[in-house]
Amino acid sequence: MVSHGCSCCGSVSRADTASIPVASDSSVGGSSPSYQVTGLTCGHCAKSVTQALQALPQVNEVQVDLVAGGVSTVTVTGVVPPEMVRRAIEESGYSVLS
């Protein structure tokens, strides 16, 4: 039986969507770059990503604008390299589009 649930609740294979680099948003000074993320379909998904990002050093705040079945926006405030943010999101089971 194949599950088409969300990445955190169901068995979902690794996404085939490639990560597209973000335009250079300077993380110096506590900026708030945003990332377009697929696979976030419920509050539990948003909580999983939020916890993974809050575990990174120098992350002050995480905001998830959840769009179930679509592309959600994750905004991270703090001084953290974008690659670390992308890696944390992808290791949580989601795909970063930008």
Side-chain angles (χ1 to χ4, degrees):
M1 183 165 152
V2 176
S3 173
H4 294 286
C6 59
S7 296
C8 68
C9 301
S11 60
V12 176
S13 63
R14 199 183 105 193
D16 294 325
T17 306
S19 190
I20 301 169
V22 176
S24 181
D25 285 332
S26 174
S27 293
V28 177
S31 67
S32 300
S34 295
Y35 303 84
Q36 300 302 304
V37 180
T38 61
L40 294 172
T41 59
C42 69
H44 188 260
C45 293
K47 183 177 179 182
S48 295
V49 168
T50 298
Q51 288 175 337
L53 293 172
Q54 287 175 334
L56 296 176
Q58 298 183 320
V59 169
N60 298 329
E61 183 180 1
V62 176
Q63 179 180 344
V64 178
D65 294 321
L66 186 65
V67 179
V71 178
S72 299
T73 302
V74 177
T75 304
V76 180
T77 303
V79 182
V80 58
E83 187 53 43
M84 284 182 71
V85 173
R86 284 192 290 272
R87 189 176 316 121
I89 293 170
E90 289 171 353
E91 287 176 356
S92 296
Y94 307 95
S95 296
V96 180
L97 299 178
S98 64

